Amino acid sequence: MTGFGAVFRPQLPPERLRSVVRLADASGLDQLWLWEDCFREGGISTAAAALAWTERVRIGVGLLPVPLRNVALTAMEAASLHRMFPGRPVLAVGHGVQDWMGQVGARAESPVTLLREHLAALRALLAGEQVTVDGRYVHLDGVALDWPPAAAVPVLAGATGPRSLRLTGEAADGTVLTSATSPDGVRAARRLVDQGREAAGRTGDPHEVVVYLLAATGQDAADRLRADLAAEGLDQVPGLGVAGDAGAVAEAVLRLAEAGADTVVLQPTGDEPDPEGFVRFAAEQVRPLLP
């Protein structure tokens, strides 16, 4: 079965999260994803609140920018969430938007090296290991978590370029793709991820591919979708986004699933007029149309 969810976009104020996440929980939505976009809501703080307000929905954070975070802190926060809400957090890390990283003095000369080092240390810490490493960016001296997760937890990573996609196959347990990824883009990304898995001898390990799908429904859906794509400079890229009723959206989800996505997460437009209604639409109208 294809994993399915929706995004709470951080253009919404934090105080809107409670009503959206409670509706996601009550309506049977599989997953609700949050973003740590600069300079809006914090990923861990909103995830903790969302998990505390709900009982069953999985909460994803896609993604935590590694230049902003010491890996020990990432591990401590991730482990705490997984121990308090076992099986429900889904955390992804990534390069972050480089312009934003530059604004806070955290731009890395080699984002790929930083992500590789962060992933290796983070996965080891969450596995309960004591870690000593003196890398280009990550430096730990005998660090181990007092409260690692009680069971193994996956660490996902966001990626767009070929080097980063191969890296997620080598060093992460899953890959998060942006809404700028068409079905053909998912196929290409999956090939690169699998190259990384093969190079690292990890072809037998599970590797989840999550992709966002920009979606709009209701009044002026097509206009809102076009405006969002144009704002990102993607309006001339074929195969991106979907506007229409539940049937049209479900067909777009299935195209991504057939291309290799394990989980598809609906991303509303930035000017979505009814975030709660969008979540209800996803859970009650689109989800039943998916296998």
Side-chain angles (χ1 to χ4, degrees):
M1 182 174 70
T2 303
F4 183 65
V7 175
F8 175 88
R9 291 185 62 152
Q11 284 86 350
L12 294 168
E15 57 268 26
R16 290 291 300 273
L17 176 61
R18 186 171 185 172
S19 64
V20 173
V21 73
R22 283 188 163 181
L23 178 60
D25 200 46
S27 65
L29 191 69
D30 302 347
Q31 304 178 19
L32 187 78
W33 281 70
L34 312 172
W35 295 349
E36 188 168 77
D37 274 3
C38 296
F39 298 96
R40 298 182 173 116
E41 290 114 14
I44 296 296
S45 55
T46 49
L51 289 160
W53 286 328
T54 56
E55 297 294 334
R56 46 151 300 277
V57 65
R58 299 185 76 196
I59 301 297
V61 181
L63 45 79
L64 301 170
V66 298
L68 291 178
R69 295 177 169 274
N70 184 287
V71 69
L73 179 62
T74 307
M76 290 161 58
E77 292 182 324
S80 295
L81 289 182
H82 280 288
R83 288 189 72 104
M84 291 188 289
F85 309 100
R88 293 178 57 210
V90 186
L91 301 182
V93 297
H95 302 307
V97 176
Q98 294 306 296
D99 287 347
W100 289 341
M101 300 303 100
Q103 280 184 270
V104 298
R107 187 195 290 265
E109 184 177 354
S110 176
V112 172
T113 301
L114 170 55
L115 183 57
R116 182 185 299 277
E117 293 180 359
H118 194 102
L119 280 167
L122 179 59
R123 293 180 70 238
L125 289 168
L126 292 175
E129 299 175 20
Q130 184 179 89
V131 180
T132 296
V133 61
D134 187 21
R136 181 173 178 181
Y137 296 103
V138 174
H139 307 276
L140 299 174
D141 182 8
V143 175
L145 297 177
D146 282 8
W147 298 105
V153 298
V155 176
L156 281 62
T160 54
R163 290 180 63 204
S164 296
L165 285 164
R166 291 190 189 96
L167 172 59
T168 66
E170 293 175 24
D173 303 302
T175 302
V176 179
L177 305 174
T178 73
S179 61
T181 314
S182 67
D184 284 344
V186 172
R187 293 185 184 93
R190 191 100 214 189
R191 287 193 293 270
L192 291 164
V193 168
D194 287 344
Q195 288 174 15
R197 295 173 70 206
E198 184 174 2
R202 300 187 64 199
T203 54
D205 297 339
H207 191 100
E208 181 181 13
V209 172
V210 179
V211 61
Y212 295 123
L213 171 63
L214 185 62
T217 191
Q219 189 173 8
D220 301 325
D223 291 339
R224 289 189 285 111
L225 180 70
R226 280 194 294 269
D228 246 43
L229 290 171
E232 297 295 327
L234 299 170
D235 48 324
Q236 301 303 313
V237 180
L240 297 185
V242 59
D245 61 11
V249 174
E251 288 178 6
V253 171
L254 291 173
R255 285 194 291 271
L256 291 170
E258 289 165 359
D262 299 297
T263 297
V264 178
V265 182
L266 298 187
Q267 174 183 320
T269 59
D271 60 351
E272 167 59 51
D274 182 7
E276 290 85 359
F278 185 85
V279 166
R280 187 179 292 109
F281 165 76
E284 297 179 0
Q285 296 187 46
V286 179
R287 178 74 231 175
L289 301 180
L290 303 177

